[in-house]
Structures are given as structure tokens and as C-alpha cells.
Short mmCIF file of all heavy atoms in Angstrom, two decimals:
data_model
loop_
_atom_site.label_atom_id
_atom_site.label_comp_id
_atom_site.label_asym_id
_atom_site.label_seq_id
_atom_site.Cartn_x
_atom_site.Cartn_y
_atom_site.Cartn_z
N ARG A 1 -5.32 9.05 1.79
CA ARG A 1 -4.11 8.92 2.61
C ARG A 1 -3.70 7.46 2.52
O ARG A 1 -4.46 6.57 2.84
CB ARG A 1 -4.37 9.30 4.06
CG ARG A 1 -3.15 9.06 4.95
CD ARG A 1 -3.18 9.82 6.25
NE ARG A 1 -3.16 11.25 6.07
CZ ARG A 1 -2.08 11.97 5.75
NH1 ARG A 1 -0.93 11.39 5.55
NH2 ARG A 1 -2.16 13.27 5.61
N VAL A 2 -2.49 7.23 2.06
CA VAL A 2 -2.00 5.87 1.84
C VAL A 2 -0.80 5.61 2.75
O VAL A 2 0.03 6.49 2.96
CB VAL A 2 -1.65 5.62 0.35
CG1 VAL A 2 -0.53 6.54 -0.10
CG2 VAL A 2 -1.28 4.19 0.10
N SER A 3 -0.77 4.42 3.34
CA SER A 3 0.38 3.96 4.12
C SER A 3 0.97 2.77 3.40
O SER A 3 0.23 1.87 2.98
CB SER A 3 -0.05 3.53 5.53
OG SER A 3 -0.67 4.60 6.20
N TYR A 4 2.28 2.75 3.26
CA TYR A 4 2.90 1.63 2.55
C TYR A 4 4.31 1.38 3.07
O TYR A 4 4.92 2.25 3.70
CB TYR A 4 2.91 1.85 1.04
CG TYR A 4 3.58 3.12 0.57
CD1 TYR A 4 4.90 3.10 0.13
CD2 TYR A 4 2.90 4.33 0.53
CE1 TYR A 4 5.52 4.26 -0.32
CE2 TYR A 4 3.50 5.48 0.09
CZ TYR A 4 4.82 5.45 -0.34
OH TYR A 4 5.42 6.59 -0.78
N THR A 5 4.80 0.19 2.80
CA THR A 5 6.12 -0.24 3.22
C THR A 5 6.88 -0.72 2.00
O THR A 5 6.30 -1.32 1.10
CB THR A 5 6.01 -1.40 4.23
OG1 THR A 5 5.19 -0.99 5.32
CG2 THR A 5 7.36 -1.82 4.75
N CYS A 6 8.17 -0.49 1.99
CA CYS A 6 9.02 -1.05 0.95
C CYS A 6 9.41 -2.45 1.40
O CYS A 6 10.00 -2.62 2.48
CB CYS A 6 10.26 -0.20 0.72
SG CYS A 6 11.39 -0.93 -0.49
N GLY A 7 9.06 -3.45 0.62
CA GLY A 7 9.37 -4.83 0.97
C GLY A 7 10.85 -5.15 0.89
O GLY A 7 11.31 -6.15 1.46
N GLU A 8 11.63 -4.31 0.25
CA GLU A 8 13.07 -4.54 0.10
C GLU A 8 13.85 -4.00 1.30
O GLU A 8 14.64 -4.69 1.91
CB GLU A 8 13.56 -3.91 -1.20
CG GLU A 8 15.00 -4.19 -1.52
CD GLU A 8 15.26 -5.62 -1.93
OE1 GLU A 8 14.31 -6.38 -2.19
OE2 GLU A 8 16.45 -5.99 -1.99
N CYS A 9 13.63 -2.73 1.63
CA CYS A 9 14.42 -2.10 2.71
C CYS A 9 13.60 -1.87 3.98
O CYS A 9 14.13 -1.42 4.98
CB CYS A 9 15.01 -0.79 2.23
SG CYS A 9 13.79 0.49 1.89
N GLU A 10 12.29 -2.14 3.93
CA GLU A 10 11.38 -2.05 5.07
C GLU A 10 11.14 -0.63 5.58
O GLU A 10 10.72 -0.44 6.71
CB GLU A 10 11.84 -2.97 6.21
CG GLU A 10 11.88 -4.43 5.79
CD GLU A 10 12.24 -5.37 6.91
OE1 GLU A 10 12.43 -4.92 8.06
OE2 GLU A 10 12.36 -6.56 6.63
N TYR A 11 11.38 0.38 4.75
CA TYR A 11 11.02 1.74 5.11
C TYR A 11 9.50 1.87 5.04
O TYR A 11 8.86 1.25 4.21
CB TYR A 11 11.67 2.75 4.15
CG TYR A 11 13.04 3.20 4.59
CD1 TYR A 11 14.05 2.30 4.87
CD2 TYR A 11 13.33 4.56 4.70
CE1 TYR A 11 15.30 2.72 5.27
CE2 TYR A 11 14.59 4.99 5.09
CZ TYR A 11 15.56 4.07 5.38
OH TYR A 11 16.80 4.49 5.76
N PHE A 12 8.93 2.71 5.91
CA PHE A 12 7.49 2.92 5.98
C PHE A 12 7.20 4.36 5.57
O PHE A 12 7.93 5.28 5.93
CB PHE A 12 6.98 2.67 7.41
CG PHE A 12 5.53 2.97 7.58
CD1 PHE A 12 4.56 2.06 7.19
CD2 PHE A 12 5.11 4.17 8.14
CE1 PHE A 12 3.22 2.33 7.35
CE2 PHE A 12 3.76 4.45 8.30
CZ PHE A 12 2.82 3.52 7.90
N TYR A 13 6.10 4.55 4.83
CA TYR A 13 5.69 5.87 4.37
C TYR A 13 4.19 6.04 4.56
O TYR A 13 3.44 5.07 4.51
CB TYR A 13 5.99 6.04 2.87
CG TYR A 13 7.44 5.84 2.51
CD1 TYR A 13 7.91 4.57 2.18
CD2 TYR A 13 8.33 6.90 2.52
CE1 TYR A 13 9.24 4.37 1.86
CE2 TYR A 13 9.66 6.72 2.20
CZ TYR A 13 10.12 5.45 1.86
OH TYR A 13 11.43 5.26 1.54
N GLU A 14 3.78 7.29 4.77
CA GLU A 14 2.35 7.62 4.84
C GLU A 14 2.19 9.05 4.35
O GLU A 14 2.87 9.95 4.86
CB GLU A 14 1.82 7.49 6.26
CG GLU A 14 0.35 7.83 6.35
CD GLU A 14 -0.19 7.68 7.75
OE1 GLU A 14 -0.06 8.65 8.53
OE2 GLU A 14 -0.74 6.61 8.04
N HIS A 15 1.30 9.25 3.36
CA HIS A 15 1.07 10.58 2.83
C HIS A 15 -0.14 10.55 1.89
O HIS A 15 -0.61 9.48 1.51
CB HIS A 15 2.30 11.10 2.09
CG HIS A 15 2.76 10.21 0.98
ND1 HIS A 15 2.15 10.15 -0.25
CD2 HIS A 15 3.77 9.31 0.93
CE1 HIS A 15 2.78 9.29 -1.02
NE2 HIS A 15 3.77 8.75 -0.32
N PRO A 16 -0.63 11.74 1.49
CA PRO A 16 -1.71 11.79 0.50
C PRO A 16 -1.19 11.35 -0.87
O PRO A 16 -0.05 11.63 -1.22
CB PRO A 16 -2.11 13.27 0.47
CG PRO A 16 -1.56 13.85 1.72
CD PRO A 16 -0.34 13.06 2.05
N ALA A 17 -2.05 10.66 -1.61
CA ALA A 17 -1.69 10.23 -2.96
C ALA A 17 -2.94 10.17 -3.81
O ALA A 17 -4.05 10.03 -3.29
CB ALA A 17 -1.02 8.86 -2.92
N GLY A 18 -2.76 10.25 -5.10
CA GLY A 18 -3.87 10.15 -6.03
C GLY A 18 -4.37 8.72 -6.12
O GLY A 18 -3.58 7.77 -6.06
N VAL A 19 -5.68 8.56 -6.25
CA VAL A 19 -6.28 7.23 -6.37
C VAL A 19 -5.66 6.45 -7.54
O VAL A 19 -5.34 5.27 -7.38
CB VAL A 19 -7.82 7.34 -6.50
CG1 VAL A 19 -8.44 6.00 -6.85
CG2 VAL A 19 -8.41 7.89 -5.20
N PRO A 20 -5.45 7.06 -8.71
CA PRO A 20 -4.82 6.30 -9.80
C PRO A 20 -3.43 5.79 -9.47
O PRO A 20 -3.04 4.70 -9.89
CB PRO A 20 -4.77 7.31 -10.96
CG PRO A 20 -5.83 8.30 -10.65
CD PRO A 20 -5.87 8.39 -9.16
N GLN A 21 -2.67 6.55 -8.67
CA GLN A 21 -1.33 6.11 -8.27
C GLN A 21 -1.40 4.87 -7.39
O GLN A 21 -0.63 3.92 -7.57
CB GLN A 21 -0.62 7.22 -7.49
CG GLN A 21 -0.38 8.47 -8.26
CD GLN A 21 0.03 9.61 -7.34
OE1 GLN A 21 -0.23 9.60 -6.14
NE2 GLN A 21 0.70 10.59 -7.92
N VAL A 22 -2.31 4.88 -6.43
CA VAL A 22 -2.46 3.74 -5.52
C VAL A 22 -2.96 2.53 -6.29
O VAL A 22 -2.46 1.42 -6.12
CB VAL A 22 -3.41 4.08 -4.35
CG1 VAL A 22 -3.60 2.89 -3.44
CG2 VAL A 22 -2.87 5.28 -3.57
N ALA A 23 -3.93 2.74 -7.17
CA ALA A 23 -4.47 1.64 -7.97
C ALA A 23 -3.39 1.02 -8.85
O ALA A 23 -3.35 -0.21 -9.03
CB ALA A 23 -5.63 2.13 -8.81
N ALA A 24 -2.49 1.84 -9.39
CA ALA A 24 -1.42 1.31 -10.24
C ALA A 24 -0.52 0.36 -9.45
O ALA A 24 -0.09 -0.66 -9.98
CB ALA A 24 -0.61 2.47 -10.82
N ILE A 25 -0.25 0.68 -8.19
CA ILE A 25 0.59 -0.20 -7.36
C ILE A 25 -0.19 -1.47 -7.01
O ILE A 25 0.34 -2.58 -7.13
CB ILE A 25 1.03 0.52 -6.06
CG1 ILE A 25 1.88 1.74 -6.38
CG2 ILE A 25 1.75 -0.44 -5.12
CD1 ILE A 25 3.21 1.47 -7.03
N LEU A 26 -1.45 -1.33 -6.61
CA LEU A 26 -2.24 -2.50 -6.20
C LEU A 26 -2.54 -3.44 -7.37
O LEU A 26 -2.64 -4.66 -7.17
CB LEU A 26 -3.56 -2.05 -5.57
CG LEU A 26 -3.46 -1.42 -4.19
CD1 LEU A 26 -4.81 -0.88 -3.76
CD2 LEU A 26 -2.94 -2.42 -3.17
N ASN A 27 -2.69 -2.90 -8.56
CA ASN A 27 -3.05 -3.72 -9.72
C ASN A 27 -1.86 -4.23 -10.51
O ASN A 27 -2.03 -4.89 -11.53
CB ASN A 27 -3.97 -2.92 -10.66
CG ASN A 27 -5.32 -2.69 -10.03
OD1 ASN A 27 -5.82 -3.53 -9.31
ND2 ASN A 27 -5.89 -1.53 -10.30
N ARG A 28 -0.67 -3.94 -10.04
CA ARG A 28 0.53 -4.39 -10.75
C ARG A 28 0.62 -5.91 -10.71
O ARG A 28 0.42 -6.52 -9.66
CB ARG A 28 1.74 -3.77 -10.06
CG ARG A 28 3.05 -4.09 -10.72
CD ARG A 28 4.21 -3.46 -10.00
NE ARG A 28 4.10 -2.00 -10.14
CZ ARG A 28 4.67 -1.15 -9.31
NH1 ARG A 28 5.37 -1.58 -8.29
NH2 ARG A 28 4.55 0.13 -9.49
N PRO A 29 0.91 -6.54 -11.86
CA PRO A 29 1.07 -8.01 -11.86
C PRO A 29 2.18 -8.42 -10.90
O PRO A 29 3.22 -7.78 -10.82
CB PRO A 29 1.48 -8.33 -13.30
CG PRO A 29 1.01 -7.17 -14.11
CD PRO A 29 1.08 -5.97 -13.20
N GLY A 30 1.91 -9.48 -10.14
CA GLY A 30 2.90 -9.99 -9.20
C GLY A 30 2.94 -9.26 -7.87
O GLY A 30 3.80 -9.52 -7.05
N THR A 31 2.00 -8.33 -7.64
CA THR A 31 1.97 -7.62 -6.36
C THR A 31 1.63 -8.61 -5.25
O THR A 31 0.65 -9.33 -5.34
CB THR A 31 0.92 -6.49 -6.38
OG1 THR A 31 1.27 -5.55 -7.38
CG2 THR A 31 0.84 -5.79 -5.04
N PRO A 32 2.46 -8.68 -4.20
CA PRO A 32 2.19 -9.63 -3.12
C PRO A 32 0.94 -9.24 -2.35
O PRO A 32 0.90 -8.20 -1.74
CB PRO A 32 3.44 -9.54 -2.24
CG PRO A 32 4.07 -8.24 -2.57
CD PRO A 32 3.66 -7.89 -3.96
N ARG A 33 -0.10 -10.04 -2.42
CA ARG A 33 -1.34 -9.76 -1.71
C ARG A 33 -1.44 -10.56 -0.41
O ARG A 33 -2.20 -10.22 0.46
CB ARG A 33 -2.54 -10.10 -2.59
CG ARG A 33 -2.60 -9.27 -3.85
CD ARG A 33 -3.97 -9.34 -4.46
NE ARG A 33 -4.09 -8.87 -5.80
CZ ARG A 33 -3.81 -7.67 -6.27
NH1 ARG A 33 -3.31 -6.79 -5.47
NH2 ARG A 33 -3.99 -7.35 -7.52
N SER A 34 -0.70 -11.64 -0.30
CA SER A 34 -0.83 -12.50 0.87
C SER A 34 0.15 -12.15 1.98
O SER A 34 0.24 -12.86 2.95
CB SER A 34 -0.62 -13.96 0.46
OG SER A 34 0.68 -14.12 -0.07
N LEU A 35 0.90 -11.04 1.82
CA LEU A 35 1.87 -10.67 2.84
C LEU A 35 1.22 -10.08 4.08
O LEU A 35 1.84 -10.03 5.12
CB LEU A 35 2.88 -9.68 2.27
CG LEU A 35 3.85 -10.24 1.25
CD1 LEU A 35 4.76 -9.14 0.74
CD2 LEU A 35 4.66 -11.36 1.84
N GLY A 36 0.00 -9.61 3.96
CA GLY A 36 -0.61 -8.99 5.11
C GLY A 36 -2.06 -8.65 4.86
O GLY A 36 -2.70 -9.19 3.98
N VAL A 37 -2.53 -7.73 5.66
CA VAL A 37 -3.92 -7.30 5.61
C VAL A 37 -3.93 -5.85 5.18
O VAL A 37 -3.19 -5.02 5.71
CB VAL A 37 -4.58 -7.46 6.99
CG1 VAL A 37 -5.98 -6.90 6.99
CG2 VAL A 37 -4.57 -8.91 7.41
N LEU A 38 -4.76 -5.53 4.21
CA LEU A 38 -4.92 -4.16 3.75
C LEU A 38 -6.11 -3.55 4.48
O LEU A 38 -7.19 -4.13 4.49
CB LEU A 38 -5.17 -4.13 2.24
CG LEU A 38 -5.56 -2.78 1.64
CD1 LEU A 38 -4.41 -1.79 1.77
CD2 LEU A 38 -5.96 -2.94 0.18
N GLN A 39 -5.89 -2.41 5.12
CA GLN A 39 -6.99 -1.69 5.74
C GLN A 39 -7.47 -0.65 4.75
O GLN A 39 -6.70 0.20 4.31
CB GLN A 39 -6.54 -1.02 7.03
CG GLN A 39 -7.66 -0.27 7.70
CD GLN A 39 -7.19 0.53 8.89
OE1 GLN A 39 -6.02 0.54 9.24
NE2 GLN A 39 -8.11 1.21 9.51
N PHE A 40 -8.72 -0.75 4.36
CA PHE A 40 -9.31 0.17 3.39
C PHE A 40 -10.54 0.77 4.03
O PHE A 40 -11.57 0.11 4.13
CB PHE A 40 -9.66 -0.57 2.09
CG PHE A 40 -10.15 0.33 1.01
CD1 PHE A 40 -9.28 1.17 0.34
CD2 PHE A 40 -11.49 0.35 0.66
CE1 PHE A 40 -9.72 2.00 -0.67
CE2 PHE A 40 -11.95 1.19 -0.34
CZ PHE A 40 -11.06 2.02 -1.01
N GLY A 41 -10.41 2.01 4.50
CA GLY A 41 -11.51 2.63 5.24
C GLY A 41 -11.75 1.84 6.51
O GLY A 41 -10.85 1.55 7.26
N GLY A 42 -12.98 1.40 6.73
CA GLY A 42 -13.30 0.60 7.91
C GLY A 42 -13.20 -0.89 7.69
O GLY A 42 -13.51 -1.68 8.57
N GLU A 43 -12.78 -1.31 6.50
CA GLU A 43 -12.69 -2.72 6.16
C GLU A 43 -11.25 -3.23 6.25
O GLU A 43 -10.31 -2.48 6.02
CB GLU A 43 -13.20 -2.97 4.73
CG GLU A 43 -14.63 -2.61 4.51
CD GLU A 43 -15.60 -3.55 5.18
OE1 GLU A 43 -15.26 -4.73 5.36
OE2 GLU A 43 -16.70 -3.11 5.53
N TYR A 44 -11.11 -4.50 6.56
CA TYR A 44 -9.83 -5.18 6.52
C TYR A 44 -9.91 -6.22 5.41
O TYR A 44 -10.85 -7.00 5.36
CB TYR A 44 -9.52 -5.84 7.86
CG TYR A 44 -9.27 -4.84 8.95
CD1 TYR A 44 -10.33 -4.29 9.67
CD2 TYR A 44 -7.98 -4.41 9.23
CE1 TYR A 44 -10.10 -3.36 10.67
CE2 TYR A 44 -7.76 -3.47 10.23
CZ TYR A 44 -8.81 -2.95 10.94
OH TYR A 44 -8.59 -2.03 11.92
N ILE A 45 -8.93 -6.20 4.50
CA ILE A 45 -8.98 -7.06 3.33
C ILE A 45 -7.78 -8.00 3.33
O ILE A 45 -6.64 -7.57 3.48
CB ILE A 45 -8.99 -6.21 2.04
CG1 ILE A 45 -10.21 -5.29 2.05
CG2 ILE A 45 -8.95 -7.09 0.80
CD1 ILE A 45 -10.24 -4.27 0.95
#
């Protein structure tokens, strides 16, 4: 279950997604990592 926000229009989404799909977004060059905190299971990153 992934929750995400569009940084352009600020819409929020939450739904089931495939692990490869989520990894593709997270591993994209230039992905903003310092904009916030990622909650992954019981961890905050």
C-alpha cells in the first residue's frame, strides 16, 4: 500500500501498487528525497 503526493498540483493518493512500480519512482534520478520523511513499515526514513 503506497501513499504519495504530486509535488506539482499537491493531489494525494493511496492505493495498492506493485513493488517494482514504487521502486521505479523512488530510484528515479533527481527524485527529491529531502522534501520529507518516508514511512516504510514501522521505520521513518
Side-chain angles (χ1 to χ4, degrees):
R1 175 161 297 283
V2 62
S3 301
Y4 57 97
T5 304
C6 176
E8 185 71 12
C9 66
E10 299 184 3
Y11 271 54
F12 176 80
Y13 302 90
E14 180 179 85
H15 57 78
V19 171
Q21 298 167 338
V22 178
I25 298 294
L26 288 173
N27 291 326
R28 183 180 293 158
T31 299
R33 298 197 195 301
S34 61
L35 290 178
V37 175
L38 171 65
Q39 180 186 0
F40 185 73
E43 298 289 331
Y44 292 86
I45 300 172

